[in-house]
Amino acid sequence: MGRWRPAVETVTDPGCPRLRMTHFYWSLIVLFGVLVAGAGCGPEPCPDGSSRRADGLCYLAANGDVDTAQSLDADSDSDTDNAADTDHEPGVVIADPIRVVGFDGERETGGVLAEWTDAAILSGTVGAICGVAGVGLVDLVEGTTLAVRPTPPCLRMAEHDGLLVASDRRSQLTLLDVRNPPEIREAGFVIFDPNAIRHEDIAVHGGRIIVGWHGLGARIYDPDARLLGTLPATDAFAVGLHEDRAVISDGEELVLWDVTDPSAASELSRVPLPGEGRDIEFDGARVAVAMGGAGVGVWDVRDDTLVARGSKVVPGAGLSVALDGDDVWIGSWEHTVLLEVREDGIATIGHETPRFSAMGVAAAGGTALVADWHGHMTLKKDPDACSPEIILGEALFFSDADPSQRIRIENHGEVSLEWSVTEVGSGFSVSDSAVTVSPGGVEVVQIEGPPGHAATDRLTWSSNDADEPSGEISLVPANQGVGAAHADFTLQGFTWPDRDASEYTLSAHQGKVVVLDYFALF
């Protein structure tokens, strides 16, 4: 997605439920202003952040920009006489609900790429990230790196009251004191049996640390590595801890425990999960669980009982989850997703595409920090904006045996998505050149390829998604089977021990065996 383009427009769609109440109160203010104006000799100035339009009323300006509001209205002068008769909410603004504060690309640390995989929020201005090269601190206001400390490889992290626990998911936890940023001070090591089974998620609260140990259960330790108690489980993977309550994923179940005395913990509530838990965020009153391809689920804790609030499948795989009041942020590899818990379920607020891969996410006060593999990204929620959110494939494959393909257009946003074809490759035809996709809906457009399609072509499109107003789909000749020539391509790579990236082109290795190796940590 395009991340740095500002986009604002008025919309006749009555969506964006978060803005409706605000708009209602603003309408009362506007009405009061009109009544006052009628009592004097001439119109009074509109309130700050608004402008008077042709119907004589004051309208809320986009982002408080009066000139912008006037210019937007100028395009609809012919409709101003009927503006008061429309049944939509005039002046509702479409804009990207997620603003990118900054991105800091990765540098080498001790000759090792950092490969950031998890994040934590330390305060309103400082966050932490961890990766293969250690632990770093981030300025959340500027989105820049404050400091990096080499530690054993860190793939999971958790923080509470300045105690940061970095885990290598194998045999070691590193304890760090981060109460005085940018200083990162070593606070000790917790060494586990290196022959034990790999552990997974970790959480820390009130000086106690909980670790998901698969079949060994979820184990609770103090900072001196003393085992305080074990929560039995068939497969403890994701864990959360808050005061005297703990939550763990046990296979495809979520379990709430009373850990007032960890040596005599008691189970309080158990509910099924849509998928295996991979990460848990628990604030004492609410639990959010990332479940890979099953998305994310949210439960409230009421009278020591887990009460479901809803679940949502997100693009990619739910690797990491963060709670921020009613907001739920997800790192899903392909996207950073922002959801909102409402009385009637869970709504998608927006997506932001990472530069590399959204591996881990943390959030507080409307700000999110994303561990973005080769860098980190700081995001800010705009509570006064909403937008359609398009999800669309990047390529379609055609052959003479299969010349017809489907373009699946998903709208994960809060208002209707308007999508249209701007250009399509020679010989291709589409069933619909423009479609409207309702919030949460899907539309399918059929595209027919020409006979003998042998060269990659493209379809370009436009939309009213504030974050992704345009894009393209590659129209690619399909693999014709063993013995057919593969389409040429160029990829970046390196040859160890030289880590400088070079470009490798398939056609340059004609007559040789070429092996492509794909890998991932999760």
Side-chain angles (χ1 to χ4, degrees), residues 17-372:
R18 293 176 296 124
L19 296 184
R20 290 177 184 168
M21 190 60 70
T22 302
H23 184 77
F24 171 74
Y25 285 122
W26 183 261
S27 298
L28 293 180
I29 294 172
V30 171
L31 176 60
F32 177 76
V34 172
L35 293 175
V36 171
C41 298
E44 294 292 325
C46 287
D48 289 342
S50 66
S51 63
R52 193 176 305 282
R53 297 189 180 179
D55 58 6
L57 300 179
C58 297
Y59 285 86
L60 179 63
N63 294 334
D65 185 342
V66 175
D67 292 335
T68 302
Q70 292 170 339
S71 64
L72 291 172
D73 188 57
D75 294 333
S76 57
D77 285 343
S78 60
D79 298 325
T80 52
D81 292 341
N82 299 321
D85 297 327
T86 60
D87 59 2
H88 67 272
E89 299 176 73
V92 172
V93 173
I94 288 186
D96 190 356
I98 303 176
R99 178 172 63 88
V100 177
V101 175
F103 174 88
D104 197 347
E106 188 38 52
R107 77 284 313 263
E108 289 188 2
T109 305
V112 179
L113 291 176
E115 297 181 353
W116 304 118
T117 58
D118 209 353
I121 300 292
L122 307 183
S123 69
T125 58
V126 179
I129 48 176
C130 84
V132 173
V135 171
L137 297 185
V138 177
D139 182 335
L140 298 178
V141 177
E142 301 293 334
T144 55
T145 303
L146 294 173
V148 175
R149 182 186 179 97
T151 68
C154 170
L155 296 178
R156 292 278 195 169
M157 73 185 310
E159 183 274 342
H160 183 249
D161 285 345
L163 177 64
L164 192 150
V165 185
S167 159
D168 67 357
R169 292 179 65 229
R170 289 182 179 272
S171 61
Q172 181 168 295
L173 301 183
T174 303
L175 307 185
L176 301 168
D177 183 344
V178 290
R179 289 175 294 181
N180 299 302
E183 180 185 12
I184 306 174
R185 188 171 63 85
E186 190 175 291
F189 294 96
V190 178
I191 307 296
F192 298 109
D193 181 357
N195 297 316
I197 191 172
R198 181 191 302 272
H199 66 267
E200 296 293 346
D201 195 15
I202 62 172
V204 58
H205 196 277
R208 299 192 295 187
I209 304 163
I210 185 170
V211 184
W213 277 94
H214 287 289
L216 301 180
R219 294 184 171 183
I220 301 175
Y221 301 85
D222 67 12
D224 294 321
R226 289 190 293 262
L227 178 63
L228 303 177
T230 299
L231 310 181
T234 302
D235 185 10
F237 195 110
V239 297
L241 183 65
H242 186 89
E243 296 179 351
D244 57 2
R245 295 293 184 265
V247 286
I248 68 171
S249 68
D250 184 3
E252 293 189 359
E253 292 182 309
L254 181 66
V255 191
L256 173 68
W257 291 83
D258 181 342
V259 293
T260 304
D261 179 358
S263 65
S266 59
E267 181 179 316
L268 300 173
S269 183
R270 182 182 290 260
V271 296
L273 292 173
E276 288 187 329
R278 287 294 178 265
D279 188 36
I280 283 178
E281 175 95 344
F282 176 41
D283 63 8
R286 180 167 288 169
V287 184
V289 187
M291 299 171 289
V296 63
V298 179
W299 289 260
D300 284 346
V301 178
R302 301 176 188 167
D303 298 325
D304 284 335
T305 302
L306 293 167
V307 180
R309 295 300 305 273
S311 63
K312 178 79 73 171
V313 175
V314 297
L319 303 178
S320 179
V321 64
L323 282 171
D324 184 13
D326 287 332
D327 292 336
V328 184
W329 295 80
I330 302 103
S332 73
W333 189 286
E334 294 182 3
H335 299 274
T336 301
V337 181
L338 174 58
L339 307 177
E340 185 179 271
V341 181
R342 298 175 178 166
E343 288 300 322
D344 58 349
I346 298 177
T348 303
I349 303 302
H351 298 166
E352 191 63 43
T353 304
R355 295 287 182 88
F356 297 99
S357 297
M359 306 293 295
V361 63
T367 297
L369 176 61
V370 182
D372 195 354

Side-chain angles (χ1 to χ4, degrees), residues 362-383:
T367 297
L369 176 61
V370 182
D372 195 354
W373 195 238
H374 293 306
H376 56 81
M377 183 177 289
T378 304
L379 305 173
K380 189 78 173 177
K381 175 187 177 181
D382 184 346

